[in-house]
Structure formats: C-alpha cells, structure tokens
Amino acid sequence: MLQVAYLRNHKDEAIALLAKRNIDASEMVNMAIALDEDRRAIQTELDAIKSEANKISKDIGGLYKSGEIEKANQLKTRSAKLKESTKILENDLNTKKQDLAELLYKIPNVPNTIVPAGNTEDDNEEIFRKGDVPKLSETALPHWELAKKYDIIDFDLGNKITGSGFPVYKGQGAKLQRALITYFLDKNTAAGYTEYQLPHLVNEASGFGTGQLPDKEGQMYHVTADNLYLIPTAEVPATNMFRDTLLNERDMPIKVTGYTPCFRREAGSYGAHVRGLNRLHQFDKVEILRVEHPENSYKALDEMVEHVKGILDELKLPYRILRLCGGDLGFTSALTYDFEVYSTAQRRWLEISSVSNFETFQANRLKLRFKNNEGKNEFCHTLNGSSLALPRVLAGLLENYQTDNGIKVPDVLVPYTGFDRIS
RNA sequence: GGAGAAAUGGCAGAGUGGUCGAAUGCACCAGUCUUGAAAACUGGCGAGGGUCACACCUCCGGGGGUUCGAAUCCCUCUUUCUCCGCCA
C-alpha cells in the first residue's frame, strides 16, 4: 500500500500518475489525507490524557510509600475518570485507523512516469521483439492437438481426477516439464539467485503481505479448515520470507529463485482462450525475486528483463516484450514488462513472464525495511518476475518446434531431457 | 492427538506489580591509536506515532482482563522446544 506521508507530500503527483490507470484517485487520496489528519488530532488528544494518567500513577506510588493513603485515594478517583475518557477516544482512534487502512488497500500503486497511458492490453507498448516465426506446414497443429497426438499431456485424465484446468503430464511430456524446471532453476542460480523450496500453502498474513488479500480473495483456493491459501504464485511465500524484517544496507541485493506449482481459481474465464495449456488452475512456475535498495531497483528491473531474454534466446522461441500500460498494470506494480511467446498455431501471443518493480508498495505492507547509512529505517524495494511460467512455454515449444517427424527438443534442453525429439 | 516448558531490542539473554523501554554480551555507527587493517579504549545505538525540534504517547508473541499502576498476575489464541502416541 501507499504511504500516507507520500500522499500528503506528493498529492498532485500521485493523482496525476494514478490517472494513467484510468482512475480518478483524487477522492480517495483526499479522503486518506483527511482521515490521517483526523487520526493525528485524536492521537494528540489521547496522548495528553494518557500523559496525565501516567503522571498520577507515579504520584500514587509516591504517596503510598510516604503513607498518605487519603491523598492517594483522591488521585485514584481522578485516574478512573481519565480512563473513561480514554476509552471513547481509543475507539474513535481505532475506527479512523481502520478506515484509513481499508482505504489505502483500495488505492493501487502509483505507476512509474514511463508507464504508457491506456485502457487495455492493446495499449501496451512493444519495446522489443526477437526470433523468427517458423513457417509451419499446412498440417501444423495447436499444442493441445500435439499433446494428444504424441500422448504427452492428458487433459481428460485431469478432468476425471480433479476437473478442468488440471492437466496430467505423461511420459516425455512429464520429462520435458521436469527438464524445463531444472533448466530454469540452473539459469537463475547461475545468475546469482539463491534457490529456495517454499511452502505451497500460506496463511492469511502472507496473503495480505503481498496484496492478494483482501482484494483478490476469490482468485485463491482457500483451505477453510486450517484457514490457509494455496499459493497463486511463488511470489507470495518468497516475498513473505521478508515480512517484518529490518535489513542492513549491505544485505542487499537479495536474489531469490524458487519453483512451485501455482493454483488459481480463474473464476469467470472461459472460451477459446483457455483451451489447452493457455489458462490452467494448476501450473508450474519458476520465479525470481529481488529485494533492493531504492536507488538500485530500476537497474535491477533491467537486469531481470535481460536475464529472461537470455533464457528465451537460448530456447530460440519467437518472443516480444511489452511495457504494460496503466490500464493493464497490476494493482501492486509501478512498472511491469510482460514477455510473450508466439503461439504459431494459434496465431497469437501468450504471456509467459511478467517482471515488475513494486517499489515500496509491498514493502510497506510487509514492513520490510533497511537501516540506511544515516541510521534511519527506510522501506526496501521489491521486484519479481517469472523465469519462467511453464505451460505457455511448453505450448510455444510444442507448436514452434513441431515437424512432420515429431517435435524437436531445443538443443539447450537435450542434456536435461535425455532425448532430442518427442515422437 | 496427550503432558510439560517457553516466547523480551538486529541476534543472544537478564528482569516476577511502581524512575523498566528494559541489565549484560554480540553486532552496528562515530572517535582515539595505527602507514592501513585488526585488537584495545571512549562514546553512541530498539521500533512506531507525534513535533520545525523537543515534550509526549504506544510497543516485552497476538487478543482480552485484574490494578491508580503490568514485561511481571489472570484468561485466551498462536508459535517453538522436550517427553509420549501416531505416521510419510
């Protein structure tokens, strides 16, 4: 969430930049500032009363020691009265605090100045494109047909066991999946990211820390018996490792990578765009995450983008990079680059990675700070990205590498799969 | 699942009703010494709110209670450790 102090000091800037998301935030921002002022006024009043009560308590202690019981009892009466008035003020204060917090949860992150204005994904700005789209024969198939033809993914079996969106990978398909995960992790660790194995269920505090709660509760699977949530991305457990943390400046940068399955309810998504591997309820993803000094976070974002480019170059997949417009930008992000791989048979781009800088938006919720050189505590910047999301990479591989004689395995993956062709 | 013990500043660890926001050690910061570093010595050093700055307020796992006054007593929840049971 945004810091009230920022809104107070940069009100016009915040409203102007939030307008890139096609929202008029002026009312919310003004309300937040007003609530904060109310809060402080009540706090001041309450503090004065408490101060007096504290003083009386100390005096009573002294009076008891010197045996002046009568005087002490008089002060007790006064103290009881003060206590009554604090109760009312405390209630007011808590109400204001809660109202302010709830309002702040509703305000999305302020977009970076270079975020293009725009409404939909059509307004995203393509900043890079690489790789040739292969000329496929007339008989070229979409990945779900290929999966069936070579018997490597069984969607029906997943339907039977669980429901739609839970595919079963089989034989060479399962092996290729495992190969990709290992390959991605190897690339990430080679780039200095430390590998973690993280829990796949998280508690409420963690969901809240990264911003899935309270806004997107409906998108997560909720295990009500234990009040835990299945993770929609490794971002949630990985980022929450740093909840309530005070770092030293030299501890940064922190670079984390981890593989996890991801679970998403995807309520309300149907139709052709969710066929095959395009949109699943359970999928695998390797994530990279960084905790950075505010001054370095945009350099770190560029590094992450370059890193993901390197992987796609090695896989020799046609891809492009988009700078997301305000309307398409995630709630918590200040700047996001999406990577899309071209699905030749579907003739459309599939998002396979999203690399974002959250600046202090998550750190504020997480209370993730560092002690700067002046000894003051400052919020860190957090960033994360996929490196990479498996199903759509797999879709891209199957479709782009299909031949009349099976599906070729990219050279870089052969050491991991142990075979160079799916047939 | 049952029984017991515990949870204190970045970390370790004292503190069982009244100058305790909290001893001490480590870590950290500044200085002295040194060519430089280490060591040693001197000083500083929890967090949040508030203020121009002070004052002041809050915080000893979370929540509630007793009391004029709670880190300290009571209730409750959570987590950790030990023992027992069960189990991949």
Side-chain angles (χ1 to χ4, degrees):
Chain A
M1 63 181 155
L2 295 172
Q3 294 163 257
V4 193
Y6 166 78
L7 293 178
R8 204 161 56 207
N9 299 327
H10 303 86
K11 185 177 131 183
D12 295 335
E13 176 192 296
I15 292 169
L17 288 170
L18 283 166
K20 291 189 178 202
R21 293 180 179 269
N22 301 307
I23 56 166
D24 178 7
S26 52
E27 198 179 319
M28 286 194 290
V29 170
N30 284 323
M31 180 72 85
I33 293 170
L35 280 171
D36 184 52
E37 268 166 21
D38 290 353
R39 193 210 95 229
R40 285 187 319 205
I42 296 169
Q43 181 81 255
T44 306
E45 198 183 342
L46 180 62
D47 285 357
I49 295 170
K50 282 188 168 175
S51 177
E52 192 185 343
N54 285 343
K55 197 176 162 292
I56 289 175
S57 287
K58 275 182 189 165
D59 291 345
I60 290 173
L63 290 171
Y64 270 123
K65 270 181 191 158
S66 58
E68 297 169 84
I69 309 296
E70 276 301 313
K71 275 189 178 173
N73 285 337
Q74 277 173 20
L75 286 181
K76 276 192 193 181
T77 317
R78 169 74 183 146
S79 183
K81 272 190 184 157
L82 287 176
K83 202 175 177 181
E84 267 176 46
S85 44
T86 60
K87 277 201 173 143
I88 299 162
L89 284 171
E90 268 171 358
N91 276 336
D92 287 356
L93 185 66
N94 286 334
T95 309
K96 290 288 179 202
K97 275 185 177 173
Q98 207 177 328
D99 288 352
L100 177 60
E102 276 169 19
L103 180 59
L104 286 174
Y105 301 150
K106 288 183 188 147
I107 305 177
N109 201 358
V110 173
N112 186 283
T113 48
I114 66 166
V115 168
N119 278 319
T120 67
E121 55 186 43
D122 299 327
D123 301 317
N124 294 335
E125 189 183 328
E126 181 174 323
I127 60 161
F128 187 83
R129 186 185 285 226
K130 191 170 179 184
D132 297 323
V133 174
K135 292 230 178 339
L136 298 180
S137 68
E138 289 293 308
T139 56
L141 297 170
H143 69 266
W144 54 88
E145 299 285 353
L146 293 164
K148 197 165 204 166
K149 180 175 173 186
Y150 295 104
D151 196 21
I152 52 173
I153 307 172
D154 195 329
F155 292 96
D156 295 334
L157 208 46
N159 282 339
K160 175 183 173 182
I161 301 167
T162 308
S164 76
F166 294 89
V168 172
Y169 301 88
K170 184 180 169 189
Q172 285 185 303
K175 192 79 184 281
L176 180 57
Q177 188 84 348
R178 183 153 58 87
L180 280 166
I181 292 166
T182 311
Y183 164 66
F184 292 151
L185 285 170
D186 283 353
K187 290 297 288 182
N188 296 345
T189 52
Y193 294 87
T194 303
E195 183 177 346
Y196 282 77
Q197 281 206 6
L198 297 156
H200 301 166
L201 287 114
V202 293
N203 58 29
E204 230 175 355
S206 293
F208 177 81
T210 27
Q212 277 71 27
L213 295 175
D215 332 305
K216 295 173 203 151
E217 167 140 38
Q219 287 298 326
M220 287 193 292
Y221 289 97
H222 188 195
V223 182
T224 51
D226 298 288
N227 198 25
L228 296 172
Y229 293 87
L230 273 87
I231 56 170
T233 159
E235 170 191 342
V236 181
T239 309
N240 274 284
M241 292 199 287
F242 305 102
R243 176 151 45 86
D244 293 321
T245 301
L246 182 61
L247 299 170
N248 284 311
E249 213 172 308
R250 65 177 173 284
D251 295 331
M252 294 177 286
I254 293 173
K255 298 166 77 177
V256 169
T257 186
Y259 152 72
T260 68
C262 302
F263 303 90
R264 298 187 183 179
R265 295 188 61 226
E266 301 292 359
S269 305
Y270 303 100
H273 281 193
V274 307
R275 274 198 88 168
L277 296 170
N278 288 347
R279 192 177 292 280
L280 300 169
H281 289 306
Q282 178 181 332
F283 65 97
D284 294 301
K285 183 156 65 65
V286 177
E287 189 81 355
I288 50 176
L289 173 140
R290 295 172 73 138
V291 178
E292 290 281 345
H293 190 288
E295 281 169 18
N296 294 333
S297 70
Y298 279 96
K299 187 170 155 273
L301 184 66
D302 289 343
E303 280 174 25
M304 291 166 84
V305 167
E306 287 305 312
H307 177 68
V308 174
K309 273 163 82 172
I311 293 174
L312 289 168
D313 288 344
E314 279 193 0
L315 288 173
K316 298 195 170 79
L317 285 170
Y319 70 98
R320 64 176 187 177
I321 304 174
L322 305 173
R323 183 183 288 136
L324 293 194
C325 74
D328 211 21
L329 193 64
F331 187 84
T332 52
S333 178
L335 179 61
T336 295
Y337 293 102
D338 269 11
F339 284 71
E340 296 185 332
V341 69
Y342 193 69
S343 166
T344 311
Q346 298 184 82
R347 293 205 172 81
R348 66 189 193 99
W349 295 94
L350 301 176
E351 183 195 329
I352 50 159
S353 176
S354 191
V355 184
S356 303
N357 188 353
F358 306 103
E359 299 191 0
T360 62
F361 195 84
Q362 285 182 331
N364 188 20
R365 280 195 179 194
L366 292 163
K367 293 202 171 57
L368 167 54
R369 296 158 302 162
F370 69 97
K371 198 170 276 296
N372 69 19
N373 284 333
E374 282 138 30
K376 289 262 187 183
N377 296 334
E378 265 185 74
F379 286 118
C380 304
H381 281 196
T382 59
L383 304 92
N384 69 46
S386 349
S387 172
L388 290 162
L390 276 277
R392 294 177 189 158
V393 170
L394 190 60
L397 286 179
L398 297 179
E399 292 181 11
N400 286 294
Y401 278 86
Q402 62 181 303
T403 70
D404 292 336
N405 183 24
I407 296 162
K408 197 180 164 319
V409 174
D411 294 340
V412 73
L413 289 179
V414 173
Y416 291 94
T417 55
F419 51 82
D420 61 7
R421 187 166 294 276
I422 293 171
S423 54

